[in-house]
Amino acid sequence: MDILIGPSTGWLYANNIFQITKQEEILQVAGANSVEICLGDWWAYFKRRKVYEEVQGFKKFCYRSLHIPNIYLSVVNDDLVEIKNISDQQEIATVLTHPIKAKGEYPRKSYQYMVTNGVPLAIENMDNLAKSGKDIKELENLVHEFDLRFVLYV
């Protein structure tokens, strides 16, 4: 099995590289064979989602994941439709989010809703500075409870 190496487009956005074709070029020159398409926070998500639904460029990479905004309480049907549209358009293998507690609880209903509706959902652990999403036992329980995938944040 080949090793998959590819940064997040979030890093490119953070460095003011907004043009999708430029992002693709940088990733290819760097030797990336995969990419994490980052929708950012909910504000950025509304700006970026249509671009990703229309662009074909990232299909050159053998593995594509989609980093959706953090889910705090609930994912509604409109969100699910948008996530599925981008996932289908970009042939996404994994949709990931950070597991964040709201009012002391993880958004279990949202995870169940997404998985039940065919989203290949993964959770990505948080760093030690985060208030939640870093306890190994809690993450393990979520993975098993909803048959989620796990992405290691390094």
Side-chain angles (χ1 to χ4, degrees), residues 88-142:
D88 291 346
Q89 180 65 28
Q90 292 295 329
E91 298 174 10
I92 296 297
T94 304
V95 174
L96 63 120
T97 188
H98 292 288
I100 304 292
K101 287 183 178 179
K103 299 180 182 178
E105 295 292 327
Y106 289 108
R108 285 178 156 79
K109 288 183 181 177
S110 291
Y111 296 160
Q112 184 64 54
Y113 180 64
M114 293 174 73
V115 169
T116 300
N117 284 283
V119 174
L121 190 61
I123 53 173
E124 179 180 30
N125 67 304
M126 297 296 292
D127 61 52
N128 284 332
L129 300 176
K131 292 181 181 179
S132 63
K134 61 185 179 182
D135 181 270
I136 298 299
K137 194 64 179 165
E138 288 180 353
L139 298 176
E140 183 179 20
N141 289 341
L142 289 172

Side-chain angles (χ1 to χ4, degrees), residues 10-115:
W11 177 85
L12 297 168
Y13 282 115
N15 285 279
N16 297 316
I17 302 167
F18 299 106
Q19 187 178 16
I20 302 298
T21 54
K22 184 66 176 170
Q23 290 180 2
E24 179 187 37
E25 178 185 329
I26 290 168
L27 294 172
Q28 287 181 314
V29 168
N33 59 3
S34 64
V35 62
E36 178 188 272
I37 299 170
C38 183
L39 294 182
D41 58 24
W42 286 106
W43 179 81
Y45 162 77
F46 291 110
K47 290 176 24 180
R48 296 178 188 172
R49 66 184 179 174
K50 288 298 180 194
V51 172
Y52 287 122
E53 287 177 11
E54 297 165 2
V55 170
Q56 298 290 319
F58 290 118
K59 287 188 178 178
K60 294 177 182 176
F61 297 95
C62 68
Y63 186 90
R64 290 165 301 287
S65 63
L66 179 67
H67 198 307
I68 61 173
N70 295 333
I71 302 167
Y72 295 100
L73 293 174
S74 64
V75 170
V76 296
N77 193 54
D78 290 347
D79 298 328
L80 180 68
V81 168
E82 292 290 345
I83 291 166
K84 287 185 72 70
N85 284 346
I86 297 169
S87 295
D88 291 346
Q89 180 65 28
Q90 292 295 329
E91 298 174 10
I92 296 297
T94 304
V95 174
L96 63 120
T97 188
H98 292 288
I100 304 292
K101 287 183 178 179
K103 299 180 182 178
E105 295 292 327
Y106 289 108
R108 285 178 156 79
K109 288 183 181 177
S110 291
Y111 296 160
Q112 184 64 54
Y113 180 64
M114 293 174 73
V115 169

